[in-house]
Structure formats: C-alpha cells, structure tokens
Amino acid sequence: MSQMKFEIPEIELMKSGHVACPGCGASMAMRYALKALGPKTMVVIPACCWAIIDGPNPCSVNGVPVFHCAFETAAITATGIKAGLKRQGKDDISVLAWAGDGGTFDIGLQAISGAAERNEDIIYVCYDNEAYMNTGIQRSSATPWGAWTTTTPVKNPKERPKKDIVDILLAHHIPYVATASVAYPDDFIRKMQKAKSIRGMKFIHVLSPCPPGWKSQAEESVHISRLAVHSNVFPLYEVDDGYRYTISIQPKKVPVRDYLKYQGRFKHLSEEQIELIQQAADRKWDILMKKVEMGELFMQN
Amino acid sequence: MADSLIAEGLEKYFNPETTAEVKAIEGTHAASYAAKLARVKVVSAYPITPQTTIVEKLSEMCASGEMEAEFIKVESEHSAMACVIGAESTGTRSFTATSSQGLALMHEELHWATGARLPVVMANVNRALGAPWNIWADQTDSLAQRDTGWIQCYAESNQEVLDMIIQAYRLAEIVMLPVMVNMDAFFLSHTTEPVALPKQELVDQFLPEYNPKYKMDINDPHAFGGLAKPDTYMELRYNIQKSMEDAHRLIPEVADEFEKVIGRNHGGLIEEYQTKDAEYLIVTSGTITGTSRIVVDQLRAQGLKLGLLKIRFFRPFPVKEVQSVLGKIKKIAVIDRNLSFGRCGIFFSELQAALYNCECRPLLNGYVAGLGGRDVTPKTIEKIVNHLIASEKGEDLIWMELNI
Ligand SMILES: Cc1ncc(C[n+]2csc(CCOP(=O)(O)OP(=O)(O)O)c2C)c(N)n1
Ligand code: SF4
Ligand SMILES: [Mg+2]
C-alpha cells in the first residue's frame, strides 16, 4: 500500500453528552462516521444500543437529522428517506443506516437483503458488538463460537460460528463492502468517505467492543479492537465491485489468545477450544488471501 | 322516472365540468389513479391478491412517466410500510396498498406511522385471513388494526375509493395521522364500474402540496422517535387522540370542500339512507351497503318503514352521529362481514358501546354474514330484516346462512 498522510477531519458533529457506557465502541464509531460524512447526512437508527445512546426525546447528540425506526427496518427506512429526498432534488444527502448486529445479521436481514439486491443508494453501517446488548447481552448470529452471553451460559456457550455477514452482502453484487475498526480511525474514515462517493449500496462492518457485554475493561476497547485485527479474528479489508479485495491493515499475526484474554466472555474456554478458534482465524485469513488473489487475477484478465 | 333518476345520478357523479375522463375501471385501478391524481411522489408496495392490480397499474404509470414517482419494489409489506414511513419523514407524499396477510405483517409499522405522526395513505383490500387460505372479501383484516391509530374509511363503490384516497391525503396532512381506505375484495377490487377521474387542476386546488412543519431536514436537524419516558409518552398519546377528534370534526368539512371543487359528496362519517321516518334500521359498511339500498327500496314499497345507515369511518368511530340517527328507531340490525372471535361482529360491538350512554336504546341485533367472500344477497338481507322485526330482545351474534 502506498504511504499517504491522512488527516482526520476536524469537524465534530457528534456532541458530548451521549449516554453510552464508558469504552463503548459503537459511540466511537459514530463519531468517526459523522466526521467522514459531514453535515449533509441523515441517520436512521433501529432498536439497538444506539437508540438509547443518542439521548432521550427530544435530545440528540448527533448534530444531523436522526430517524428512529423499528428494529428490522434500518435498511428500508433509509431507502424510503433517500427516495423522498431524491424526489425533492436533495439527492446529495447521504443516508446512513446505523444498526447493531442483531438488527443486521438477524431480524433485519430480510430488509437489508432487499435493499442490497435493489442496490439502494444508502450507506449501511453495522456496528457489531456480537450480541443483543440493549436487551442485556443475549446471543445473536454474530456472537462468536464459544462466547458467553446470557442465553449461551458458560455451561452451554455458543455452539455455532459467527455468521459471515460480509459474504452475504457480497452475494448481492453491491459496489462496496468493507470492514472497519475503531482502532484504525483513519482507515475507517477513509472507507466512509469512499462509501459516500459511490452510488448504490455500501456496507461497512465495524467491530464494536462493548465492555459490559464482553466483560472487558473500558480503557481496553481500542486495544482489543486492534488485537482483533492483528489476530485475524476481524481482518480489515474492502471489496470493490464484489471482487476486488484489498487488505487494509497487514495483520501482525498475534495469537487469538491475546485477543481473547482481555474478555471475560471467553474466560471459560479450554486450551483446546482456544486452539480451535486459532485454527478458524487462520483458515479465515487463508481464504481471504485466496479471494485477494482471485480478484487480482480477474483484474489482469 | 327511473331513467331520469339515473341521468340525474350520472350528472351528479360524472359532472363534465369537473371530470377529465370517465373510465370503466376496477376498484384497484381506482386506487392507482387516485394516487396519481394526489401527486404521490413515493410508492412502495408488495403484491398480494387482490391488491396486485393496484401495484401493477402504479408500476406501469411510474415506468411510463405518466406518474412522477419513485416506486420501490420491496421484499415484504413490512418493508413497504417502513419505506413510506421513511419517505414521509422527509415531507414527501407517499402511498402503499395491501390486503389481509400483508396488512397483518405491517402491524408493527402501522403503529410506527401513527406514533411518528406521518400522514401515510394506504389502500387496503378487505380479504379474509388464513388459515385456511381464502382470498375473498372479509373485513377482519383491517378491523384487527383498530388500535393502531389509523383513520379507517370503508368504500362502497369504485368512485368512492378514488374520491376517498384523494380526500384521505387532505385529511391526513391536516391532522398528521395515517389513513387507510378499505374496499371489499373482488366486489370492488375486481369489479369494473364507471369512475369519473377529476381534472388534475381541480385535484391540485383541493389538495395543496404537502409541506409539513417538522421533517427530516439537514438545515434544522432533530431526532425523531427517540426514547420518550413515562413523563412524556402519555402526552404524546393524548395528542394523537386529540388529532383523532380533530379528524372526526374535519371529515365532513373535507367532504364538503371536495364537493365544492369536484362536485361529489359521499357523506361524512356516516351516510343515512331513508332514515327520516324509519322505525327499523340496517347498519352496514362496504359493499353490503349497495345491496341493502335495494332491499330498503323494495321493502319500503311494501310499506315497511326501513332505513339504512352506512358507516363510512370506523376510526374515528361516529359515536355522536350514530346516536343522533338511532334516537327515533325501534330496532336495529347491524350486518358484519367480520368477526371478533369470542365476541361478535366488530361494527356491532362498537355500535352497541356507542349507545350505552344514550337515553333511548333501541333493540339491537348483530348479524354476521358473508365471511370469506360468501355472497350477501338481497335475500340474505331480507331474512335479516324479517328476523329483526320478529325479535323481542336484542341478540349480539346471529349467524346468517350457516351450513351446519
Ligand atoms: C421486533 C422487536 N423485537 C425485539 C425487540 C427488542 N430489542 C430491542 S434492541 C434488541 C437487541 C439489539 O441488538 P443489536 O442489534 O445487536 O444492537 P445492540 O443492542 O447490541 O447495540 C432487541 C432484541 C424490538 N425492539 N423489536
Ligand atoms: S452496552 Fe455495550 S454497546 Fe451498549 S452502550 Fe454499553 S458499551 Fe455500548
Ligand atoms: Mg449487538
């Protein structure tokens, strides 16, 4: 990757006074997203922690119009807003659907699939804290294998791997899909700005540490996010036009154990179980590298 | 005599001065043309029999440019409603249509539209709910949405469908509540009738451009629908009730205004037919009304003092209107093409409740007829009238023409 200096925009749309827990990855993510998109933005928020974080009626910390919608409707409500704006000749406003993993991987999957298939001109960000946090840490299909939640207790932790949402979105042939991390704000902001410049459906998947849900320390959130990237648990990459894969941050290949150890939700795991997670992360990376190669091959031809 | 009556009726309906064109169309297409005439800018819908032809016609009109609107062909009715909610939040006039299962799927979003104070207008084709599958007329689908805060209107003819959708926007955008215009499956949705399409400039005169006070606006950013705690939620509900009461007052005013501009008036919350000296009364809604008019005429010719009350609006419910009509009446038959299991017909129970505080309470019978699209013929209605006359005390639930 070519070296370039990247400045984080000074504009601060998200004001202080939000009601997220200390160390909430989701609140950091919104701050960066709004820095990237600027004031010509409207945000759609379904049921999730962010429905609370923004502040009670009539308060709002976001500094841009916010529409709260039902749990499963972020993608389609954003679509409706975009259609309304288009008919008023305000097509230059970015409409950002901002949903949790539950609202994206589970209950909202139908609506996001519909919007992606139609290639609606919206930016969809899923801040993924890997469980239903707002209702008190229940498992979602984004909860990783082996993790504790209140519905996957230590005696019977999550038995199935995390759903691959990026692949699901890619299967819809949309122009831009990326992963992002609050540990790399410059990368995240660049991706949001890129998303803003592209017509059609954009999907950005941000890992969002959640101290109460992950049983981690608030001050470790950014560190944990960085370890997720470098252990290949959550690699940072982007996919243009459905096939051009680019790795955004080269992982340092730290053992997954280093990532897991900061989080009480994995405390019960045995050595063998940690080894299985390691193998899954390695495999995921290998598959990703094959996709990068395949994309390069297509570009050559 | 009859010919001149028809001519007079036609003149009233198809006033050449206000009509651009008289088209022989089915009820679904009347809904589509109404959306076009209302200058709807965003349409979002999902197909379901017998609503499909509304969607098809709208797609055609949007594709040809005859209608200048975005048409978002969503993957479900839940999304159709969410989509028009999004569009309306930006201050853009929007339309959707559904029926039965689709309406049931929308339920959550119906509440959302009301709570967000968005004047969405929707056509619903009254169709039975499964299981078992049944695609024919039955009003239980929309009546089951009673408490969602939608204004509900029931049409008797295709002309009324068209006129009421246009009026619905006027009303909705004043009171900031959504409106559902209902038509019976097949009896209206797929029956061709002559419909006068009013001149566009007159519709524009009647229905000004939509420009709400509050909307999603980057120059005036606000959050809409954020957490309302117990200290504010109740007041917000109170406001909705007040707006419903405003709607109650405005429905006849909007109808009068429509008449001034377009020349037709289907009535306010109710329509009375031959009630002046009536001792017996049939209460109906939807297409059963048309059949009942004929029975009233026939039985009146035989000397029976029979009248008809058509309930046009179910929400807000015409409590005071109904009370003022019923005062003089001895016996009333409510005919319901719907049922609340464990109780009785739904219009019946609403009407019964509306009369409780009345000084004079006539004998009241509730007849359930025609569920799942079974014909309600003039014979059925005659049987109801005869049963009513013979009744000595009121009965909440009387099943008509049951084959068991
Ligand atoms: C239809 C519906 N079902 C359930 C809920 C309850 N609910 C609210 S938020 C939530 C979980 C949200 O999880 P996620 O999308 O991951 O966001 P997070 O709370 O983790 O930020 C649930 C189950 C709801 N609001 N609506
Ligand atoms: S529970 Fe987790 S996601 Fe929700 S506000 Fe707190 S830290 Fe953020
Ligand atoms: Mg979550």
Short mmCIF file of all heavy atoms in Angstrom, two decimals, chain A residues 18-27 48-50 52-53 127 129 131 133-134 137 208-214 221, ligand 2:
data_model
loop_
_atom_site.label_atom_id
_atom_site.label_comp_id
_atom_site.label_asym_id
_atom_site.label_seq_id
_atom_site.Cartn_x
_atom_site.Cartn_y
_atom_site.Cartn_z
N HIS A 18 -23.58 11.96 25.07
CA HIS A 18 -24.24 10.69 24.75
C HIS A 18 -24.29 9.81 26.00
O HIS A 18 -23.56 10.05 26.97
CB HIS A 18 -23.52 9.98 23.60
CG HIS A 18 -22.18 9.42 23.96
ND1 HIS A 18 -22.01 8.35 24.79
CD2 HIS A 18 -20.92 9.81 23.60
CE1 HIS A 18 -20.73 8.08 24.93
NE2 HIS A 18 -20.04 8.96 24.22
N VAL A 19 -25.17 8.81 25.95
CA VAL A 19 -25.37 8.03 27.16
C VAL A 19 -24.85 6.59 27.04
O VAL A 19 -25.34 5.69 27.69
CB VAL A 19 -26.84 8.05 27.62
CG1 VAL A 19 -27.24 9.45 28.04
CG2 VAL A 19 -27.78 7.54 26.54
N ALA A 20 -23.85 6.40 26.19
CA ALA A 20 -23.24 5.06 26.09
C ALA A 20 -22.38 4.79 27.33
O ALA A 20 -21.95 5.71 28.02
CB ALA A 20 -22.38 4.97 24.84
N CYS A 21 -22.10 3.50 27.54
CA CYS A 21 -21.20 3.12 28.63
C CYS A 21 -19.79 3.63 28.30
O CYS A 21 -19.45 3.79 27.14
CB CYS A 21 -21.11 1.61 28.77
SG CYS A 21 -22.68 0.75 28.70
N PRO A 22 -18.96 3.81 29.32
CA PRO A 22 -17.56 4.14 29.03
C PRO A 22 -16.93 3.02 28.19
O PRO A 22 -17.22 1.85 28.40
CB PRO A 22 -16.92 4.19 30.42
CG PRO A 22 -18.06 4.34 31.38
CD PRO A 22 -19.25 3.71 30.74
N GLY A 23 -16.14 3.43 27.23
CA GLY A 23 -15.44 2.45 26.40
C GLY A 23 -16.30 1.82 25.33
O GLY A 23 -15.92 0.81 24.73
N CYS A 24 -17.45 2.41 25.04
CA CYS A 24 -18.36 1.84 24.04
C CYS A 24 -17.81 2.05 22.62
O CYS A 24 -17.65 3.18 22.17
CB CYS A 24 -19.73 2.50 24.16
SG CYS A 24 -20.86 1.99 22.86
N GLY A 25 -17.52 0.96 21.94
CA GLY A 25 -17.00 1.04 20.57
C GLY A 25 -18.01 1.67 19.62
O GLY A 25 -17.65 2.39 18.69
N ALA A 26 -19.29 1.42 19.87
CA ALA A 26 -20.34 1.92 18.98
C ALA A 26 -20.39 3.44 18.97
O ALA A 26 -20.65 4.06 17.94
CB ALA A 26 -21.68 1.35 19.39
N SER A 27 -20.11 4.06 20.13
CA SER A 27 -20.17 5.52 20.15
C SER A 27 -18.95 6.12 19.47
O SER A 27 -19.05 7.14 18.78
CB SER A 27 -20.33 6.04 21.58
OG SER A 27 -19.28 5.57 22.38
N CYS A 48 -31.66 -0.73 19.20
CA CYS A 48 -30.29 -1.20 19.46
C CYS A 48 -29.75 -0.25 20.52
O CYS A 48 -30.45 0.69 20.91
CB CYS A 48 -29.41 -1.16 18.21
SG CYS A 48 -29.22 0.49 17.49
N CYS A 49 -28.53 -0.46 20.98
CA CYS A 49 -28.00 0.46 21.98
C CYS A 49 -28.01 1.90 21.49
O CYS A 49 -28.27 2.83 22.26
CB CYS A 49 -26.58 0.06 22.37
SG CYS A 49 -26.58 -1.12 23.73
N TRP A 50 -27.78 2.09 20.19
CA TRP A 50 -27.72 3.47 19.69
C TRP A 50 -29.05 4.19 19.76
O TRP A 50 -29.10 5.42 19.74
CB TRP A 50 -27.13 3.51 18.27
CG TRP A 50 -25.78 4.16 18.30
CD1 TRP A 50 -24.57 3.55 18.23
CD2 TRP A 50 -25.52 5.56 18.47
NE1 TRP A 50 -23.56 4.47 18.34
CE2 TRP A 50 -24.11 5.71 18.49
CE3 TRP A 50 -26.30 6.70 18.63
CZ2 TRP A 50 -23.48 6.95 18.66
CZ3 TRP A 50 -25.68 7.94 18.80
CH2 TRP A 50 -24.29 8.05 18.81
N ILE A 52 -30.67 4.37 22.29
CA ILE A 52 -30.59 4.99 23.61
C ILE A 52 -29.44 6.00 23.65
O ILE A 52 -29.58 7.10 24.19
CB ILE A 52 -30.38 3.92 24.70
CG1 ILE A 52 -31.48 2.85 24.61
CG2 ILE A 52 -30.30 4.53 26.08
CD1 ILE A 52 -32.88 3.39 24.76
N ILE A 53 -28.30 5.59 23.05
CA ILE A 53 -27.08 6.40 23.14
C ILE A 53 -27.32 7.83 22.66
O ILE A 53 -26.81 8.79 23.23
CB ILE A 53 -25.94 5.75 22.31
CG1 ILE A 53 -25.54 4.39 22.91
CG2 ILE A 53 -24.72 6.67 22.24
CD1 ILE A 53 -24.58 3.58 22.04
N TYR A 127 -22.66 -1.80 13.35
CA TYR A 127 -21.69 -1.82 14.46
C TYR A 127 -21.94 -3.12 15.21
O TYR A 127 -23.02 -3.38 15.69
CB TYR A 127 -21.79 -0.56 15.33
CG TYR A 127 -23.01 -0.49 16.21
CD1 TYR A 127 -22.99 -0.99 17.51
CD2 TYR A 127 -24.18 0.09 15.75
CE1 TYR A 127 -24.11 -0.93 18.32
CE2 TYR A 127 -25.30 0.16 16.56
CZ TYR A 127 -25.26 -0.35 17.83
OH TYR A 127 -26.38 -0.30 18.63
N ASN A 129 -21.30 -5.59 18.07
CA ASN A 129 -20.79 -5.89 19.40
C ASN A 129 -21.08 -7.35 19.76
O ASN A 129 -20.96 -7.75 20.91
CB ASN A 129 -21.35 -4.91 20.45
CG ASN A 129 -22.86 -4.80 20.34
OD1 ASN A 129 -23.51 -5.73 19.88
ND2 ASN A 129 -23.40 -3.68 20.75
N ALA A 131 -23.61 -9.33 20.08
CA ALA A 131 -24.75 -9.82 20.88
C ALA A 131 -25.82 -8.74 20.92
O ALA A 131 -25.60 -7.62 20.46
CB ALA A 131 -24.31 -10.18 22.30
N MET A 133 -27.05 -6.30 22.94
CA MET A 133 -26.60 -5.66 24.17
C MET A 133 -27.72 -4.86 24.83
O MET A 133 -27.86 -4.86 26.04
CB MET A 133 -25.40 -4.76 23.88
CG MET A 133 -24.19 -5.52 23.38
SD MET A 133 -23.81 -6.95 24.43
CE MET A 133 -22.38 -7.61 23.59
N ASN A 134 -28.51 -4.20 24.01
CA ASN A 134 -29.54 -3.32 24.55
C ASN A 134 -30.53 -4.08 25.43
O ASN A 134 -31.09 -3.53 26.37
CB ASN A 134 -30.25 -2.62 23.40
CG ASN A 134 -31.17 -1.54 23.88
OD1 ASN A 134 -30.82 -0.77 24.75
ND2 ASN A 134 -32.36 -1.49 23.33
N ILE A 137 -27.43 -8.47 26.69
CA ILE A 137 -26.39 -9.44 26.30
C ILE A 137 -26.96 -10.83 25.99
O ILE A 137 -26.64 -11.81 26.65
CB ILE A 137 -25.26 -9.56 27.36
CG1 ILE A 137 -24.97 -8.20 28.01
CG2 ILE A 137 -24.00 -10.15 26.74
CD1 ILE A 137 -24.06 -8.28 29.22
N SER A 208 -17.31 -3.56 17.30
CA SER A 208 -17.55 -2.54 18.34
C SER A 208 -17.48 -3.14 19.73
O SER A 208 -18.46 -3.68 20.23
CB SER A 208 -18.93 -1.92 18.15
OG SER A 208 -18.99 -1.27 16.93
N PRO A 209 -16.32 -3.03 20.35
CA PRO A 209 -16.19 -3.57 21.70
C PRO A 209 -17.25 -2.99 22.64
O PRO A 209 -17.61 -1.83 22.52
CB PRO A 209 -14.79 -3.13 22.13
CG PRO A 209 -14.06 -2.93 20.86
CD PRO A 209 -15.07 -2.44 19.87
N CYS A 210 -17.68 -3.85 23.53
CA CYS A 210 -18.75 -3.48 24.46
C CYS A 210 -18.34 -3.98 25.84
O CYS A 210 -18.48 -5.16 26.14
CB CYS A 210 -20.04 -4.16 23.99
SG CYS A 210 -21.35 -4.15 25.21
N PRO A 211 -17.79 -3.10 26.66
CA PRO A 211 -17.25 -3.55 27.96
C PRO A 211 -18.23 -4.39 28.80
O PRO A 211 -17.85 -5.47 29.27
CB PRO A 211 -16.82 -2.25 28.63
CG PRO A 211 -16.48 -1.35 27.49
CD PRO A 211 -17.47 -1.69 26.41
N PRO A 212 -19.49 -3.97 28.96
CA PRO A 212 -20.36 -4.83 29.78
C PRO A 212 -20.65 -6.18 29.13
O PRO A 212 -20.72 -7.20 29.82
CB PRO A 212 -21.66 -4.03 29.92
CG PRO A 212 -21.43 -2.72 29.31
CD PRO A 212 -20.16 -2.73 28.54
N GLY A 213 -20.80 -6.19 27.83
CA GLY A 213 -21.17 -7.43 27.13
C GLY A 213 -19.99 -8.37 26.92
O GLY A 213 -20.17 -9.58 26.83
N TRP A 214 -18.83 -7.78 26.82
CA TRP A 214 -17.65 -8.61 26.58
C TRP A 214 -16.89 -8.88 27.89
O TRP A 214 -15.90 -9.58 27.90
CB TRP A 214 -16.70 -7.91 25.58
CG TRP A 214 -17.25 -7.82 24.19
CD1 TRP A 214 -18.53 -8.06 23.80
CD2 TRP A 214 -16.54 -7.44 23.00
NE1 TRP A 214 -18.66 -7.86 22.44
CE2 TRP A 214 -17.45 -7.48 21.93
CE3 TRP A 214 -15.21 -7.06 22.74
CZ2 TRP A 214 -17.09 -7.16 20.61
CZ3 TRP A 214 -14.84 -6.75 21.43
CH2 TRP A 214 -15.78 -6.81 20.37
N SER A 221 -10.86 -0.99 25.19
CA SER A 221 -11.67 -1.19 23.99
C SER A 221 -10.87 -1.04 22.69
O SER A 221 -10.97 -1.87 21.78
CB SER A 221 -12.86 -0.24 23.97
OG SER A 221 -13.80 -0.66 24.94
S1 SF4 C 2 -23.95 -1.98 26.36
FE1 SF4 C 2 -22.19 -2.06 25.03
S2 SF4 C 2 -22.86 -1.33 23.03
FE2 SF4 C 2 -24.39 -0.75 24.55
S3 SF4 C 2 -23.82 1.33 25.13
FE3 SF4 C 2 -22.87 -0.05 26.60
S4 SF4 C 2 -20.86 -0.44 25.71
FE4 SF4 C 2 -22.08 0.44 24.09
#
